[in-house]
Amino acid sequence: MIDLAILPVYLTAVIALLLIPGPDMLLIASSSLSYGKKVGVFASLGNATSGLILTLLAAMGVSALIAMNPIALQVLRLLGGAYLLKMGWDCMRTQPSDAPSLEQSSSVAKTLYRRAVISNLLNPKALIFFVLFLPQFVSTQVTATSGEQMLVLGLLLNVLGLLFNLFLVTMIGSLGQPLLKNEKFRTNQHKFMGLIFFVLAIWLLASQVPAV
């Protein structure tokens, strides 16, 4: 399905990209630190889910059509920023008494999963990444179509990304255990996440969407 001759170059590029801090890493790391490993795992799964959706869109050529429309990209950017601002505001409005107990902290896992999926899908730079990155490794030396090759390459990228994020969750989740046992931190953990969402919103809204 893919040219094995270019596989080492592709894997090297993927590993380099995974090591570069970005909004996805910030959301997953802060989720693990604020609520523990289980919530971090769900945030990682949310990121992987959005990656699979973007891979399918790229393989079918849909993402390329969207990426070539500047208006569509700007609408995505504004929607994504507005969504993150709303999430931040909702977290900031949460009362300290609503903070989950250690036993109930997993109740926010589904919420973080959904937020990770939506925030990544509404990020035009994530969509453009799949349009610009995957085609570089499509080869004419194999019988598979470009769409089939992009599908396999995207799946490999998402599997490696998920494994990397789960490792990140394990490391940060372990470091955050003392914080989760701190009553003062737990009463303000929603506000900490609210601040993270505001940072992500500013990050997205202030960024320039590259032209394709």
Side-chain angles (χ1 to χ4, degrees), residues 165-192:
N165 287 330
L166 291 178
F167 172 76
L168 184 68
V169 166
T170 301
M171 297 298 294
I172 295 180
S174 299
L175 294 174
Q177 284 300 312
L179 285 177
L180 293 176
K181 297 177 182 179
N182 185 299
E183 190 67 26
K184 185 176 180 180
F185 175 79
R186 288 199 308 107
T187 58
N188 292 284
Q189 60 191 160
H190 284 318
K191 288 182 172 53
F192 174 73

Side-chain angles (χ1 to χ4, degrees), residues 117-140:
V117 173
I118 297 176
S119 63
N120 206 36
L121 289 178
L122 291 178
N123 185 351
K125 298 185 76 172
L127 182 142
I128 291 176
F129 166 78
F130 278 85
V131 174
L132 296 180
F133 181 69
L134 295 182
Q136 297 181 60
F137 301 94
V138 170
S139 173
T140 58

Side-chain angles (χ1 to χ4, degrees), residues 50-109:
S50 66
L52 289 175
I53 295 173
L54 290 171
T55 295
L56 290 173
L57 292 176
M60 294 186 296
V62 176
S63 56
L65 293 176
I66 298 174
M68 289 187 293
N69 188 327
I71 296 178
L73 291 176
Q74 292 302 325
V75 169
L76 271 180
R77 185 172 67 88
L78 293 174
L79 287 175
Y83 177 76
L84 290 169
L85 287 173
K86 181 183 183 302
M87 293 302 99
W89 177 246
D90 289 344
C91 288
M92 287 297 185
R93 292 178 58 198
T94 302
Q95 299 299 317
S97 58
D98 295 329
S101 65
L102 292 177
E103 294 76 16
Q104 297 172 327
S105 60
S106 62
S107 64
V108 300

